[in-house]
Amino acid sequence: MTVRHATLQLMVSIAIFCFLCGINVGEQSGIKKKEMNDKITRLMQQMTREEKIGQLNLVSLGFDITGPIVSQNVDENIRNGLVGGVFNTYTPIAVRKIQELAVNSSRLHIPLIFGYDVIHGHRTIFPIALGLSSTWDMKLIEQSARIAAREASADGLQWVFSPMVDITRDPRWGRISEGSGEDPWLGSQIAKAMVRGYQGDDLMKKDTVMACVKHFALYGGAEGGRDYNTVDMSRIRMYQDYLPPYQAAVDADVGSVMTSFNEVDGIPASANKWLLDDLLRHQWNFTGFIVTDYTAINEMVDHGIGNLKQVSALALKAGVDMDMVGEGFLRTLSESLDENDITQQHIDRACWRVLETKYKLGLFDDPYLYCDENRAATEILTIENRLAAKEISKRSFVLLKNANQTLPLNRRGITVALIGPLADDQRNMLGSWSAAGDWKQSVSVATGIKNLVGDEVKVVYSKGANIIDDPDILDQLNANGGDIILDDQSLEILIEQAVCETQNADVIVAVLGESQGMSGEAASRSDIGLPENQKKLLRALFDTTIPVVLVLMNGRPLTLTWENDHAAAILETWFPGTEAGNAIAEVLFGEYNPSGKLTVTFPRNVGQIPVYYNHKNTGRPYDGHSMEKYKSRYLDVSNDPLYPFGFGLSYTTFEYSPLKLDKTNLTGNQLLTVRVLIRNSGTYAGEEVVQLYIHDPIASVTRAAKELKRFEKVFLQPTEHKEVAFDITVDDLKFYNSDLQYVWEPGEFIIHVGTNSQNTQAVSVHWFK
């Protein structure tokens, strides 16, 4: 083949690619696309086959390993142009050293892209994602991502593997901690807010990073709540309940998408052409690049669809552009090309997308744009960032119980018995996937209380129990960075010491829950209650008859029926992050009135799972009272959850007026306005999340009992009132029918408004075509 012929073939291949992806060479969108395309075209004309494949190779090099394989011969491969990106390396010094190797030593001087797991903060750690979602505050969630982007970009990074938008209805699944809960509409709003926070309005700005939405797709539907397990569901369920947050991220112009480990319709996601090409590229018009999860291509061998060469070819043809760590592309694509299992166009298409991303990030203009040591010294873990983390943490807490107004505690003149393995702990405040966070910078609950009330409140402390005593689980946790150090004393002695400390206390604050390693990736649990040794401690504390305030730290809903029956108050704090102790202290002592609401249902026991608010009705619904046998119910437990979606108490109370509608019969594209007056009827200033749900009782396919469509968070002083107005359009009535068309059908609609998904008032409207 002549050089001219090869050049012409490449140009034709690129032209076809641009047409398929909807690229207008002359279009202006923040960067000059013609200049970009000219640059990439010239570069690809010079690239060998091996160098093009090298751009598709993402290696792990640095501080953290998140899977079973460590990349080999990285330096040599970088020099030979066989690496496109690096993850798990950060800091300006470390990134510059590797980037210099690529720019100065490779033949074509192509810069690398550097990515990292920035999930709920980079150095300044915010609450886990499930906690962030509990704020129901899109501005705060976007702010957390904006701060994370500034810190990550100051630390040498251009790419973050976030947001995780997987919908899940199974709290056994450890990675529920990384997502935004069970609702597709709320999850979609959060996905867009996170993408905006990370990417800003211009990826070429040095304080922005490219987001990577994950895990595409359906990862949260794993059977049995077991990580990496099979997912199987109907197309209607996919489109209606699981896909919307991914699409919302794409609509927000997310720069990259990460494939999931599970199969979709019997084909692993990383080789699923319907998922990656038909749906993502053509239906949703995604134009960024697709990266696999860690060794996902290699793992398809165990799924049973081929050997490494076969599955690598399948992944490339399906639309994967970058292979994370497994090096299946690097080792097999050239041979597959020779054997005509793939085409040159497949390789060129993926290479183009990777190079285009690097151009959009400004790396061709300045490979060291993100290697500014001055920024690293002045923009990371600042006082301002920590203050923001504290404010966001406070707003993520959910008050689950508060009998007899036990909380807030008096700020002087009382004795508090602070008990529990997490009460004076720093290591576990950050939660899972805190990545670059330094737990030594975190604030314990004991320190936070001391910082707030000083000597005005007497605090006595006792550990009371280890986080967990089960030797098998302990060994697994510590083998993977759990850092759990057991107290040498027996549980009986620890409990006895704790009870002794409570003798003169006015209140017991018991800080219990999971260690950071008990939730997150590869941390599924079949028993999601408190560990048995912590329950024994709690039982002894309840026996003292002193009011017990249970402060929870955990990455998932827990089964708390017994605890709810006996505790005076329960405060869910998730894993609150760097400023954990300061935030918890301010809520316990009334500096801030908790306003968080659950974004995931808490079951009564694991036998109820999956339990979620937007369930379908059955043909034999149970009313909760009847003794009739042949109804959809349990014999031994209520159908209702312990705490429903949207639930969360306050130190004050809110009254809702009857709903007012501007019309009850509508036609076509008319607007429906729903109004409700909210009054603070208590004695504390506070915030209420007013929630609106819609039910479509008669449709061509069965609909959920309720679906969240709007909410508003309002702040009210005591006795203050405010009217909240929600505008509803026909778009809020739409659903996917049996032909997967997104439509609305005329008829009756039930509008629910209330303080959570169960406690609502309802009105009916009729909407005609």
Side-chain angles (χ1 to χ4, degrees):
M1 180 183 294
T2 66
V3 173
R4 181 181 177 185
H5 184 198
T7 301
L8 180 62
Q9 184 185 55
L10 174 63
M11 294 178 70
V12 170
S13 177
I14 290 171
I16 292 172
F17 165 71
C18 292
F19 171 76
L20 292 175
C21 293
I23 296 173
N24 179 353
V25 173
E27 180 185 349
Q28 300 292 317
S29 178
I31 60 172
K32 296 180 179 179
K33 283 199 169 183
K34 185 178 187 308
E35 292 181 7
M36 177 183 72
N37 287 312
D38 289 345
K39 166 75 174 179
I40 298 173
T41 299
R42 288 193 302 270
L43 188 57
M44 289 184 65
Q45 288 170 354
Q46 302 174 62
M47 295 175 74
T48 65
R49 172 197 298 186
E50 290 73 19
E51 287 169 332
K52 291 176 181 177
I53 294 172
Q55 286 300 305
L56 319 185
N57 183 27
L58 178 64
V59 302
S60 176
L61 179 66
F63 313 112
D64 295 317
I65 299 300
T66 56
I69 296 176
V70 180
S71 301
Q72 303 294 321
N73 305 318
V74 174
D75 284 8
E76 179 182 353
N77 282 342
I78 290 175
R79 289 190 181 93
N80 292 330
L82 302 181
V83 175
V86 172
F87 80 107
N88 285 336
T89 295
Y90 56 94
T91 74
I93 294 175
V95 168
R96 177 177 282 274
K97 180 179 178 181
I98 300 170
Q99 191 72 289
E100 285 176 345
L101 185 64
V103 173
N104 297 331
S105 300
S106 66
R107 187 177 72 91
L108 295 176
H109 320 295
I110 299 173
L112 301 167
I113 183 174
F114 287 81
Y116 197 55
D117 282 298
V118 177
I119 309 300
H120 50 105
H122 180 57
R123 300 280 196 167
T124 302
I125 304 300
F126 298 94
I128 60 172
L130 192 57
L132 283 173
S133 71
S134 299
T135 66
W136 292 60
D137 191 320
M138 298 307 112
K139 289 182 179 179
L140 286 182
I141 291 171
E142 183 174 341
Q143 181 190 14
S144 75
R146 184 83 287 278
I147 292 171
R150 287 202 298 266
E151 289 196 343
S153 61
D155 222 7
L157 299 166
Q158 309 104 42
W159 185 23
V160 297
F161 304 136
S162 178
M164 194 202 93
V165 301
D166 302 314
I167 296 297
T168 186
R169 296 165 170 176
D170 195 331
R172 295 173 297 180
W173 190 54
R175 299 195 83 165
I176 194 172
S177 66
E178 293 178 52
S180 299
E182 68 191 40
D183 184 73
W185 186 83
L186 181 61
S188 296
Q189 311 314 305
I190 294 171
K192 290 185 286 189
M194 293 291 285
V195 171
R196 289 194 303 266
Y198 288 133
Q199 297 190 168
D201 58 3
D202 186 354
L203 280 179
M204 279 193 164
K205 290 182 179 178
K206 64 180 181 180
D207 66 346
T208 63
V209 292
M210 181 177 67
C212 183
V213 69
K214 61 184 189 181
H215 306 83
F216 194 63
L218 320 180
Y219 189 39
E223 289 184 357
R226 197 172 77 243
D227 214 354
Y228 318 122
N229 202 13
T230 299
V231 175
D232 191 14
M233 66 179 67
S234 69
R235 285 282 173 99
I236 285 183
R237 174 161 282 190
M238 288 183 204
Y239 275 78
Q240 191 68 37
D241 298 338
Y242 283 79
L243 293 178
Y246 307 110
Q247 186 174 8
V250 172
D251 291 342
D253 204 26
V254 70
S256 61
V257 169
M258 182 185 292
T259 63
S260 57
F261 289 118
N262 55 278
E263 61 182 53
V264 176
D265 272 353
I267 301 174
S270 296
N272 197 308
K273 187 179 184 301
W274 171 81
L275 182 72
L276 303 182
D277 195 41
D278 297 350
L279 178 65
L280 182 61
R281 294 283 184 196
H282 291 98
Q283 289 187 38
W284 294 355
N285 299 313
F286 174 66
T287 59
F289 83 93
I290 299 171
V291 62
T292 71
D293 207 336
Y294 203 109
T295 66
I297 289 177
N298 309 62
E299 293 169 24
M300 291 194 293
V301 175
D302 285 328
H303 276 277
I305 63 168
N307 59 32
L308 182 61
K309 183 171 70 172
Q310 291 168 324
V311 298
S312 297
L314 287 171
L316 184 71
K317 289 187 288 186
V320 169
D321 302 309
M322 186 170 268
D323 174 10
M324 185 186 288
V325 176
E327 299 191 348
F329 280 2
L330 191 67
R331 290 155 55 188
T332 70
L333 288 188
S334 185
E335 185 177 352
S336 292
L337 181 59
D338 290 337
E339 295 172 355
N340 296 319
D341 286 337
I342 60 172
T343 67
Q344 185 64 49
Q345 184 181 336
H346 288 129
I347 295 173
D348 288 346
R349 178 182 64 184
C351 180
W352 180 285
R353 287 171 178 153
V354 174
L355 295 175
E356 180 183 55
T357 297
K358 293 179 180 182
Y359 190 98
K360 289 179 178 179
L361 288 166
L363 293 172
F364 283 110
D365 290 335
D366 182 0
Y368 312 110
L369 180 64
Y370 301 84
C371 299
D372 186 340
E373 292 182 51
N374 291 325
R375 285 192 63 210
T378 58
E379 297 184 29
I380 292 176
L381 208 62
T382 63
I383 293 174
E384 293 79 10
N385 290 355
R386 294 190 69 130
L387 286 173
K390 184 179 73 169
E391 290 304 308
I392 293 171
S393 293
K394 290 187 299 188
R395 285 160 172 78
S396 71
F397 301 161
V398 183
L399 185 61
L400 298 177
K401 182 179 180 181
N402 194 25
N404 302 317
Q405 294 183 310
T406 303
L407 293 176
L409 303 177
N410 290 329
R411 293 187 57 164
R412 58 180 56 85
I414 65 169
T415 297
V416 175
L418 183 61
I419 309 295
L422 293 166
D424 194 19
D425 177 277
Q426 288 179 280
R427 176 66 182 90
N428 294 287
M429 299 300 98
L430 304 186
S432 62
W433 281 122
S434 52
D438 181 1
W439 63 264
K440 295 176 184 177
Q441 295 287 336
S442 66
V443 180
S444 71
V445 177
T447 299
I449 292 175
K450 181 69 174 177
N451 290 342
L452 182 67
V453 298
D455 296 330
E456 296 295 319
V457 170
K458 182 179 180 181
V459 178
V460 294
Y461 163 76
S462 184
K463 184 176 182 179
N466 292 303
I467 292 178
I468 193 164
D469 279 348
D470 185 304
D472 293 331
I473 297 178
L474 187 65
D475 288 346
Q476 291 182 62
L477 294 173
N478 281 343
N480 293 280
D483 296 336
I484 299 175
I485 300 174
L486 293 183
D487 195 297
D488 292 335
Q489 300 177 94
S490 68
L491 175 61
E492 291 71 24
I493 292 175
L494 290 171
I495 291 176
E496 182 180 344
Q497 291 173 348
V499 171
C500 183
E501 292 290 355
T502 69
Q503 289 180 358
N504 297 312
D506 297 292
V507 65
I508 298 169
V509 174
V511 190
L512 306 177
E514 298 180 313
S515 74
Q516 52 86 23
M518 290 171 68
S519 59
E521 185 171 0
S524 298
R525 294 178 61 197
S526 66
D527 180 352
I528 56 172
L530 289 173
E532 189 57 37
N533 62 321
Q534 293 190 42
K535 286 186 176 181
K536 290 180 180 179
L537 167 63
L538 198 53
R539 187 174 293 111
L541 298 179
F542 289 151
D543 287 344
T544 66
T545 71
I546 300 168
V548 176
V549 175
L550 177 57
V551 175
L552 294 168
M553 291 186 189
N554 42 286
R556 55 162 51 85
L558 301 177
T559 49
L560 300 166
T561 305
W562 172 76
E563 291 84 351
N564 184 71
D565 288 343
H566 294 86
I570 302 177
L571 182 67
E572 173 61 83
T573 71
W574 313 107
F575 289 108
T578 304
E579 286 289 309
N582 290 330
I584 290 171
E586 291 191 8
V587 171
L588 288 177
F589 288 93
E591 187 80 7
Y592 177 76
N593 183 356
S595 62
K597 299 277 189 173
L598 297 178
T599 57
V600 64
T601 300
F602 274 49
R604 294 178 183 274
N605 59 40
V606 293
Q608 284 187 315
I609 297 170
V611 56
Y612 47 94
Y613 91 90
N614 47 350
H615 58 82
K616 298 287 189 74
N617 290 320
T618 78
R620 294 188 176 185
Y622 179 56
D623 63 9
H625 307 290
S626 171
M627 295 299 291
E628 188 177 349
K629 178 178 176 63
Y630 297 103
K631 295 294 184 179
S632 181
R633 56 171 295 192
Y634 298 102
L635 291 176
D636 57 342
V637 68
S638 167
N639 287 359
D640 292 334
L642 182 61
Y643 309 119
F645 176 89
F647 179 81
L649 302 175
S650 170
Y651 294 157
T652 192
T653 53
F654 299 97
E655 293 179 352
Y656 283 63
S657 72
L659 301 184
K660 294 181 180 179
L661 308 180
D662 66 339
K663 54 185 77 73
T664 57
N665 291 284
L666 300 95
T667 303
N669 291 321
Q670 284 187 293
L671 185 74
L672 171 65
T673 301
V674 182
R675 291 183 169 85
V676 62
L677 192 70
I678 312 298
R679 178 176 176 270
N680 184 341
S681 55
T683 57
Y684 293 90
E687 293 165 289
E688 169 70 339
V689 179
V690 185
Q691 302 161 40
L692 183 145
Y693 300 83
I694 297 179
H695 173 52
D696 183 354
I698 301 176
S700 59
V701 297
T702 59
R703 303 298 311 282
K706 288 188 184 85
E707 292 179 298
L708 180 70
K709 293 297 180 180
R710 294 286 188 277
F711 70 88
E712 185 171 333
K713 197 167 188 176
V714 296
F715 176 83
L716 297 172
Q717 294 288 346
T719 74
E720 185 182 5
H721 62 269
K722 178 181 179 180
E723 184 179 72
V724 175
F726 296 109
D727 290 333
I728 307 300
T729 73
V730 291
D731 286 340
D732 300 305
L733 311 179
K734 289 182 177 179
F735 62 96
Y736 287 95
N737 65 18
S738 56
D739 294 321
L740 295 182
Q741 297 169 324
Y742 195 51
V743 300
W744 72 280
E745 297 172 348
E748 181 186 16
F749 298 90
I750 312 299
I751 311 297
H752 297 261
V753 176
T755 186
N756 60 62
S757 60
Q758 278 191 347
N759 186 6
T760 63
Q761 50 180 313
V763 292
S764 172
V765 302
H766 288 83
W767 215 311
F768 304 98
K769 287 282 190 180

